[in-house]
Amino acid sequence: MAAPTSGWAITQANVGLRRLGLNCTSLPAYRGPSTVLAGTTISGRLISTGLDLSSGSITIERSCIRPTKAAPGMPIVGTTNYNSMRPAAGRVIIRDSEIDGTLLDARTAAQATGFIGVADLARNYIHRLGSGIGIMNAGSELDSVIEQNYVTGLVAEGDPAKDGTHSDAFTVRDFDVSKRADRTLVVRNNRFDCDSGSDTGALFIQTYSGRIGNVLVEGNLLEGGGYQLGLNGANYPYSNVRALNNRFSGTGWGPAYLQGGKGWTRWENNHLHGDGDVRAQGAAVNHP
């Protein structure tokens, strides 16, 4: 099956394993270490633990990551070395795979994020976790392309104002371009659905842990509660952030908000999701 060409064309059937005629239970078990060695490719395996990809130069493809347990607040898959807090030492690729929280108890799933770090993620299906994809502790060297992924079925537990959880389908918390002015983060043609009942939103950019620059958000379908697209200048500045040709469900608190900083460098052709032709253009969404 051909991969979708826009976020609003994505379904569960045309990303991840199902696009390839595979499923988690059909795959042979992965027997390697959970701290994966540099230079490794894992292909066509059922992985029942989380994965530490901080060694870098690693590819995960055509695989199902369905852990039976997870540490509270930790990612299922990550690229940070939590002993040194260093980011991935080389490029990481995760493609045509599934990250599945269905074997975790409700509290553990709600506290977990599918992926945190810096990598290229393409055509993955991520579901039944507290949050989906987080670019954080991304270092200052590696580019990142997040393309044609489907994050949905997020879950929450407890009171988010106290000790409860909150959900982001996709978030960026740092992406430093001070050492590489041509460094880019491209978030294109994804479907991000954040509807756990305790939602920050589908796509949330916040300078929580560092500067953020050179981010392109294009061709995505953003759905669910909270705000579908947020830009927040929290602790550091941001620059050159662009939102082009996205579609919004308009549910929750609305399609988009801005808090702090100069706002979007470019905001063009963003619309509520509408029925009809392949452009799916409803009412225009004004620059927040």
Side-chain angles (χ1 to χ4, degrees):
M1 181 183 295
T5 56
S6 67
W8 48 93
I10 286 177
T11 69
Q12 184 180 343
N14 61 16
V15 294
L17 295 174
R18 282 187 61 180
R19 187 179 75 86
L20 305 173
L22 302 172
N23 60 68
C24 291
T25 56
S26 71
L27 300 176
Y30 171 67
R31 303 296 186 188
S34 58
T35 300
V36 182
L37 298 177
T40 297
T41 294
I42 301 173
S43 183
R45 291 291 183 266
L46 172 60
I47 302 161
S48 298
T49 67
L51 292 176
D52 175 352
L53 308 182
S54 60
S55 295
S57 303
I58 295 166
T59 297
I60 312 294
E61 62 182 13
R62 302 168 63 95
S63 292
C64 177
I65 304 163
R66 189 173 64 184
T68 57
K69 60 183 179 179
M74 297 296 287
I76 302 303
V77 182
T79 62
T80 297
N81 181 325
Y82 286 102
N83 293 317
S84 65
M85 292 308 297
R86 292 179 178 174
R91 186 184 184 203
V92 169
I93 300 169
I94 305 171
R95 61 192 177 203
D96 300 309
S97 294
E98 186 167 338
I99 303 178
D100 175 0
T102 56
L103 297 186
L104 301 174
D105 66 78
R107 181 68 178 173
T108 301
Q111 291 179 331
T113 299
F115 171 85
I116 297 178
V118 58
D120 293 342
L121 280 77
R123 300 176 302 279
N124 300 294
Y125 176 48
I126 300 172
H127 62 110
R128 213 272 179 168
L129 294 161
S131 291
I133 300 169
I135 303 300
M136 183 173 175
N137 197 25
S140 58
E141 298 295 334
L142 296 173
D143 296 326
S144 177
V145 179
I146 310 297
E147 190 164 30
Q148 298 174 320
N149 301 282
Y150 187 14
V151 176
T152 191
L154 299 181
V155 294
E157 283 281 308
D159 183 346
K162 297 179 181 177
D163 62 349
T165 64
H166 71 277
S167 299
D168 315 296
F170 176 84
T171 189
V172 185
R173 301 303 175 93
D174 61 69
F175 197 78
D176 186 356
V177 298
S178 62
K179 292 185 179 180
R180 269 195 59 207
D182 62 342
R183 187 186 190 206
T184 57
L185 169 58
V186 175
V187 187
R188 177 185 289 139
N189 298 340
N190 302 279
R191 184 175 179 180
F192 293 141
D193 176 17
C194 188
D195 198 18
S196 71
S198 182
D199 305 296
T200 302
L203 200 161
F204 182 48
I205 299 175
Q206 181 192 58
T207 55
Y208 171 78
S209 56
R211 296 171 178 264
I212 294 173
N214 297 351
V215 180
L216 173 63
V217 177
E218 181 177 29
N220 303 286
L221 174 58
L222 308 177
E223 305 172 282
Y227 284 102
Q228 279 84 67
L229 179 58
L231 177 58
N232 182 299
N235 301 324
Y236 302 88
Y238 60 81
S239 61
N240 192 26
V241 289
R242 295 155 289 156
L244 312 177
N245 195 37
N246 298 287
R247 302 292 179 267
F248 305 85
S249 68
T251 51
W253 298 330
Y257 86 101
L258 169 66
Q259 185 176 26
K262 296 180 179 180
W264 295 93
T265 308
R266 289 178 62 194
W267 178 275
E268 298 173 10
N269 198 31
N270 296 301
H271 293 260
L272 294 180
H273 183 238
D275 296 325
D277 62 23
V278 294
R279 296 175 299 170
Q281 287 187 0
V285 174
N286 293 327
H287 193 301

